[in-house]
Amino acid sequence: MRSVQIEFVENETWKLVWTAAAVVLLAITLSLVVPIWQTHRKRVALDQELASFQALQLQELAERKKTANPLGHVRAASEAAAVRLLQRDWNQLYDTIEAPALADARLLQLSFDSATGDATLEYELDKLEQAAHVSNALDAASRQIGLWRLERFERAEQTRSMSGAATVKGYWRSRVDQTAW
């Protein structure tokens, strides 16, 4: 009689080969999925940023359309602006620039910007030291209008004072108080 050999344990080499193949496939899958996932997240973030930027642009466009006068209503808007300017009480501004303390300085120009409410005065001064006196006189005379801000000086080449020295032009600006008008 011959002896029979029975193996109750399976051959382990194929399990090792299939496990190694599964690990390699898992590594390949992860190396492909991770960059795709990162690209997807970046694209979602860029889409959100683009959507917020477009919403902001639409909002700015709507605001511009609100403030812009349509071409058909230019005349009506101009007439309304003229009516507003004619209804203002200009006496406070003129009382300020005609104050007796300002008799030394010569007023060259008064300009008023109705859109911003800024009034600009241009005075001709014999000497630079008069600027402080003019600023104090303007502020004292304009209690309801607002403070006057000295913006700049320019040398007036054409005109000369009585002493023969070149005069100086000074520019003052103030935001005129709309509630007083």
Side-chain angles (χ1 to χ4, degrees):
M1 206 175 248
R2 275 176 62 192
S3 66
V4 178
Q5 290 230 339
I6 301 174
E7 288 185 30
F8 292 103
V9 179
E10 216 176 304
N11 192 357
E12 299 281 329
T13 44
W14 286 109
K15 284 184 179 178
L16 184 63
V17 170
W18 286 112
T19 305
V23 168
V24 169
L25 284 175
L26 184 64
I28 291 172
T29 304
L30 284 177
S31 68
L32 293 175
V33 168
V34 169
I36 291 172
W37 176 251
Q38 288 175 344
T39 305
H40 174 70
R41 284 185 24 211
K42 287 178 184 177
R43 181 175 178 166
V44 167
L46 287 174
D47 286 342
Q48 290 174 348
E49 189 174 341
L50 178 64
S52 65
F53 181 70
Q54 288 174 341
L56 185 63
Q57 278 184 331
L58 287 175
Q59 183 181 7
E60 287 177 2
L61 183 63
E63 287 176 7
R64 270 192 251 137
K65 283 184 179 179
K66 271 191 227 176
T67 58
N69 290 332
L71 292 177
H73 301 291
V74 172
R75 182 174 179 186
S78 177
E79 288 174 356
V83 167
R84 273 195 325 270
L85 286 174
L86 290 173
Q87 290 176 347
R88 288 184 183 254
D89 181 18
W90 294 96
N91 288 331
Q92 294 174 356
L93 182 61
Y94 287 122
D95 288 344
T96 300
I97 63 176
E98 293 172 353
L102 294 170
D104 303 0
R106 290 173 294 286
L107 178 65
L108 297 177
Q109 182 178 2
L110 161 68
S111 60
F112 181 77
D113 185 5
S114 63
T116 62
D118 284 349
T120 306
L121 299 174
E122 178 183 346
Y123 278 100
E124 185 178 54
L125 310 171
D126 291 331
K127 48 189 170 179
L128 202 55
E129 291 79 22
Q130 280 183 306
H133 175 70
V134 170
S135 292
N136 291 336
L138 284 172
D139 289 339
S142 62
R143 290 184 203 110
Q144 293 178 341
I145 292 180
L147 293 178
W148 291 88
R149 182 177 72 241
L150 177 62
E151 287 196 333
R152 68 180 188 274
F153 289 114
E154 286 181 5
R155 178 176 219 136
E157 295 295 330
Q158 291 92 9
T159 59
R160 297 207 172 257
S161 66
M162 296 285 209
S163 65
T167 59
V168 177
K169 290 181 184 177
Y171 296 87
W172 281 263
R173 180 181 302 269
S174 176
R175 171 75 36 99
V176 177
D177 185 12
Q178 298 294 331
T179 60
W181 294 49

